Amino acid sequence: MPRWVIPMVIITSIIVIFEAYAFQAVKLVTKNKLIRYSWLILGGLAYVNFFYVIFTSDRSSGQTRQFQWAAGFMLLVLLPKLFIVLFMLGEDIIRYVKKAFDYFTNKEYTPVKGRRKFIAQLALGIAAIPFASMLYGIFRGKYNYKVLKYQLAFKDLPEAFDGFTITQITDIHSGSFDNKEKIQYGVDLINEQKSDVILFTGDIVNNFATEMDEWIPMFKQLEAPRGKFSILGNHDYGDYSQWKTEEAKEANFKAIKDIHPQIGFDLMLNENRYIEKDGEKIALIGVENWGKGFNQAGDLKKASEGINKEDFKILLSHDPTHWEYKVKEDDFNYQLTLSGHTHGLQFGIEIPGFFRWSPSQYVYKQWAGLYKEFDRYINVNRGFGYHAFPGRVGIWPEITVIELKKA
């Protein structure tokens, strides 16, 4: 018997039980056969399409748009049902607890007339919220660019750089793009910030250098008077695809690195650059990807060679776990770190100044926005593009503008 048979039987059984439980709500609310059958067919199509894409896709192609849309369709159908199941299960638990209590206290159990139907109606109403949100996220939210502005003050910032501005973008993931008009709008929005420098913190593609071909003329339009600088992200190494030969993987990696000068970016591979102004200077340090538990090509010591400890330093490091485990307590004092990688998981709730939540926070300590420890800052940009799920819900694509101030 093939190894995959038992796991598939278990997964199929879980899906059937889950779907049957959610379908109870539909049966209680309506007797219309068209609605009932449509519900079942839509769910079935989502699962069949998803597993078909998984089992028939060429793994050497990495994560394709076809997979993204299959995953998006399945989540669109699945997530709202999760809310329905939670409501229906909660009602069942309460009902059976009440039955047990009445039994042991010698009381006759009397069900509340119409309660289960009311719970089903409530569950379906609540489930409509994530359904509508995900629908918006897939078709509009992924291009709902937000410009977030911060002003950061440092005692050791050179006087000449008081008011110096940085635009940070990250996680372009060009292999996911499907709307040239929207991407052009995002590029124009970056240029509208008129920052002194533009810094890109990795993941220019999903898997292959060719994904960027049609977007090179567009991203070549980005302008900054003091330069454009970049680093690599985890997806830029080709580690998420199966390659016929190691030479093919290396050729793709070289082609990805060659994209950066084609769009006018100075790619830093464990290297550094000085920016000079009025006789003073600040250091830009760019490390290759360093992530907790995988791909640790980043070499902070090598990247900082030739930099003085007393220099004001801006570190570009794709994965924020690098800051958490290696950078924030380093005696060399990296005053500001710019990262990306997390995307805020492209799903969450953010009410500025009041509340923010995303499943990403259970994986990353620094998952989105600005953080400060040991008098040092890290900004985790939520990403320009999207990946895996073809949308964004509550966690919008981000362009960060940081103004440096002399404290």
Side-chain angles (χ1 to χ4, degrees):
M1 180 184 295
R3 291 182 178 181
W4 56 267
V5 172
I6 294 177
M8 279 303 299
V9 169
I10 294 172
I11 291 170
T12 303
S13 300
I14 292 172
I15 289 172
V16 169
I17 293 170
F18 178 86
E19 288 291 331
Y21 213 86
F23 189 56
Q24 289 183 42
V26 179
K27 291 194 296 183
L28 284 165
V29 170
T30 180
K31 294 182 179 180
N32 187 302
K33 289 185 178 181
L34 178 61
I35 295 175
R36 289 184 176 187
Y37 288 139
S38 297
W39 176 280
L40 293 172
I41 291 170
L42 191 64
L45 285 174
Y47 289 114
V48 169
N49 182 52
F50 180 74
F51 287 113
Y52 172 79
V53 169
I54 287 180
F55 287 116
T56 60
S57 295
D58 181 2
R59 293 190 179 183
S60 65
S61 301
Q63 194 177 106
T64 62
R65 287 185 190 174
Q66 185 185 16
F67 172 83
Q68 290 185 4
W69 280 100
F73 181 33
M74 192 181 74
L75 286 172
L76 183 66
V77 169
L78 186 63
L79 189 61
K81 290 178 182 177
L82 180 61
F83 286 84
I84 295 171
V85 168
L86 289 174
F87 271 83
M88 300 301 288
L89 181 62
E91 197 276 335
D92 277 346
I93 291 171
I94 292 172
R95 181 153 46 90
Y96 284 115
V97 167
K98 181 69 167 57
K99 276 185 176 181
F101 179 80
D102 289 350
Y103 175 80
F104 287 110
T105 56
N106 295 318
K107 290 182 180 180
E108 183 180 350
Y109 173 74
T110 305
V112 178
K113 188 177 180 181
R115 184 178 69 179
R116 190 157 179 79
K117 183 178 180 180
F118 170 75
I119 294 297
Q121 291 171 329
L122 181 62
L124 287 167
I126 296 294
I129 298 173
F131 179 80
S133 299
M134 292 185 72
L135 208 58
Y136 173 84
I138 290 172
F139 291 101
R140 299 291 296 275
K142 62 188 178 186
Y143 296 127
N144 184 23
Y145 299 106
K146 301 296 180 184
V147 178
L148 301 186
K149 297 186 177 184
Y150 302 103
Q151 190 179 82
L152 303 180
F154 301 90
K155 292 180 181 179
D156 51 355
L157 180 73
E159 291 280 358
F161 288 87
D162 184 37
F164 190 82
T165 53
I166 299 163
T167 288
Q168 181 201 1
I169 56 173
T170 192
D171 295 270
I172 288 175
H173 287 288
S174 56
S176 301
F177 291 158
D178 58 12
N179 189 318
K180 286 191 174 182
E181 183 181 344
K182 295 295 185 181
I183 301 303
Q184 183 65 61
Y185 167 74
V187 169
D188 291 342
L189 195 58
I190 294 169
N191 278 334
E192 283 177 18
Q193 307 316 308
K194 298 186 182 301
S195 291
D196 292 299
V197 295
I198 296 175
L199 305 180
F200 171 64
T201 47
D203 277 1
I204 202 165
V205 296
N206 292 341
N207 304 291
F208 309 109
T210 52
E211 295 169 5
M212 191 66 184
D213 287 352
E214 64 179 305
W215 309 104
I216 286 175
M218 201 172 289
F219 282 89
K220 197 174 181 179
Q221 299 169 19
L222 293 174
E223 297 178 347
R226 294 283 177 174
K228 302 181 293 183
F229 303 87
S230 59
I231 58 170
L232 298 175
N234 55 304
H235 279 269
D236 297 324
Y237 292 83
D239 291 339
Y240 302 100
S241 301
Q242 289 187 352
W243 300 90
K244 293 181 179 179
T245 65
E246 191 62 31
E247 289 76 16
K249 182 180 180 182
E250 283 299 320
N252 182 70
F253 185 43
K254 182 182 182 301
I256 287 172
K257 290 186 286 186
D258 289 343
I259 292 170
H260 293 254
Q262 290 181 60
I263 59 174
F265 277 78
D266 182 358
L267 177 63
M268 294 185 288
L269 301 167
N270 292 325
E271 299 171 295
N272 60 75
R273 310 282 188 266
Y274 275 115
I275 297 179
E276 296 189 11
K277 184 180 180 185
D278 300 335
E280 296 183 299
K281 60 186 180 181
I282 62 174
L284 295 181
I285 302 168
V287 295
E288 293 195 51
N289 188 77
W290 192 102
K292 179 65 175 176
F294 69 98
N295 196 320
Q296 298 183 352
D299 188 332
L300 190 59
K301 186 175 181 180
K302 179 182 177 182
S304 302
E305 288 178 358
I307 300 293
N308 300 313
K309 183 177 180 179
E310 61 272 16
D311 289 334
F312 185 86
K313 297 173 282 295
I314 300 173
L315 174 66
L316 280 64
S317 182
H318 179 70
D319 192 320
T321 60
H322 189 210
W323 189 78
E324 175 64 22
Y325 291 100
K326 295 291 183 180
V327 176
K328 70 179 184 182
E329 296 184 61
D330 194 296
D331 290 337
F332 205 59
N333 187 24
Y334 299 88
Q335 291 93 334
L336 173 61
T337 299
L338 303 178
S339 297
H341 181 63
T342 72
H343 301 208
L345 211 67
Q346 297 168 209
F347 184 89
I349 302 169
E350 292 194 272
I351 305 173
F354 293 95
F355 178 79
R356 60 187 216 140
W357 172 87
S358 166
S360 185
Q361 69 191 57
Y362 304 118
V363 182
Y364 299 96
K365 186 176 179 181
Q366 296 82 27
W367 60 275
L370 195 67
Y371 301 83
K372 183 181 180 182
E373 289 187 52
F374 304 102
D375 216 28
R376 297 160 191 176
Y377 289 94
I378 181 173
N379 182 66
V380 184
N381 184 297
R382 294 159 181 81
F384 183 88
Y386 54 93
H387 187 249
F389 172 62
R392 284 179 175 266
V393 180
I395 306 292
W396 311 121
E398 176 181 342
I399 298 164
T400 309
V401 178
I402 296 174
E403 182 183 9
L404 304 179
K405 298 295 291 182
K406 177 73 174 179

